[in-house]
Amino acid sequence: GENVEQHPSTLSVQEGDSAVIKCTYSDSASNYFPWYKQELGKRPQLIIDIRSNVGEKKDQRIAVTLNKTAKHFSLHITETQPEDSAVYFCAAGSGAAGNKLTFGGGTRVLVKP
Amino acid sequence: KAGVTQTPRYLIKTRGQQVTLSCSPISGHRSVSWYQQTPGQGLQFLFEYFSETQRNKGNFPGRFSGRQFSNSRSEMNVSTLELGDSALYLCASSWGTGGEKLFFGSGTQLSVL
């Protein structure tokens, strides 16, 4: 089955700096790659997603890149703010497999003021 | 539009008991997925239901089961509870076509003593 590795497990950045989280996946059939943000005690919320027919997608301070050949994708957060502090999860899925998502282990991001 | 609703919010059970968790999806959503979240294992897929049929199943023992009703509401049952079943159980709903955005509920925190 699919396996998703996520690095780093923790990331501490100064406010205003950039943060980058990287994920690799194993199943070449995966074609949907969402990123979820989970604040302490809250539900995971989708912040951005990308499909395999696109190499990059941006939404304000957040961007995701996908390299299908290397089977890896990354989340980039620019101009980090204290409210960006949370746990971020990457995931991989395939439309052919319904809505099953395989999640990475998560990255705890701390933005220091 | 109301979000995904999970009840109860907290549960405390003892080993050997069984438990039933409930999930009401966003109106119009026909797919409901269940995930187990633990500090050590992250988010792990349990199963997905679509139009009252199980569409996908994760690698959990048969003690974990679920069902979906004609109004798309879903229940998850865990029989013969073990200490290791202590976790946050999250359900997520979507329209159902596959490979699409999931909306998570706040989860049910299950503690097995």
Side-chain angles (χ1 to χ4, degrees):
Chain A
E2 174 67 280
N3 182 50
V4 177
E5 300 281 342
Q6 183 172 345
H7 299 281
S9 56
T10 59
L11 180 58
S12 181
V13 297
Q14 286 295 137
E15 183 177 357
D17 287 350
S18 295
V20 179
I21 304 170
K22 298 182 179 182
C23 290
T24 60
Y25 62 99
S26 61
D27 189 350
S28 55
S30 290
N31 56 14
Y32 176 60
F33 306 94
W35 287 86
Y36 284 85
K37 174 184 179 182
Q38 187 175 29
E39 297 176 28
L40 192 62
K42 301 282 185 65
R43 69 188 76 190
Q45 291 199 298
L46 181 78
I47 55 171
I48 195 167
D49 56 7
I50 192 168
R51 298 189 185 274
S52 58
N53 58 347
V54 175
E56 183 175 1
K57 185 176 178 180
K58 291 181 82 170
D59 183 3
Q60 299 183 342
R61 297 186 295 108
I62 292 172
V64 59
T65 59
L66 171 65
N67 183 326
K68 283 195 308 181
T69 304
K71 294 201 189 81
H72 66 71
F73 55 114
S74 301
L75 178 72
H76 304 253
I77 307 173
T78 58
E79 300 172 20
T80 53
Q81 300 167 5
E83 53 265 36
D84 294 329
S85 295
V87 179
Y88 292 81
F89 293 95
C90 64
S94 162
N99 284 308
K100 176 183 176 180
L101 290 178
T102 301
F103 282 85
T107 297
R108 184 174 300 279
V109 174
L110 175 63
V111 180
K112 295 182 286 187
Chain B
K1 199 181 231 187
V4 179
T5 304
Q6 289 189 247
T7 56
R9 188 72 179 89
Y10 301 94
L11 264 178
I12 299 175
K13 294 286 186 179
T14 56
R15 281 187 307 169
Q17 287 187 311
Q18 76 165 20
V19 66
T20 299
L21 314 181
S22 179
C23 173
S24 293
I26 291 171
S27 178
H29 284 189
R30 296 166 63 194
S31 165
V32 174
S33 304
W34 289 89
Y35 289 82
Q36 181 194 66
Q37 185 172 27
T38 59
Q41 298 295 319
L43 280 152
Q44 292 196 294
F45 174 78
L46 282 153
F47 28 66
E48 180 198 7
Y49 286 86
F50 176 72
S51 293
E52 301 179 65
T53 301
Q54 187 178 85
R55 183 158 67 175
N56 280 296
K57 190 177 189 310
N59 296 323
F60 279 81
R63 299 185 297 106
F64 292 81
S65 63
R67 60 178 175 168
Q68 187 180 34
F69 302 96
S70 58
N71 61 357
S72 293
R73 190 178 71 84
S74 177
E75 287 183 348
M76 189 190 103
N77 185 275
V78 188
S79 63
T80 319
L81 284 166
E82 300 177 359
L83 296 179
D85 296 334
S86 294
L88 179 66
Y89 290 89
L90 293 160
C91 93
S93 77
S94 67
W95 295 106
T97 55
E100 60 194 357
K101 179 176 180 176
L102 299 186
F103 295 82
F104 281 89
S106 295
T108 294
Q109 183 68 53
L110 172 65
S111 297
V112 182
L113 306 178

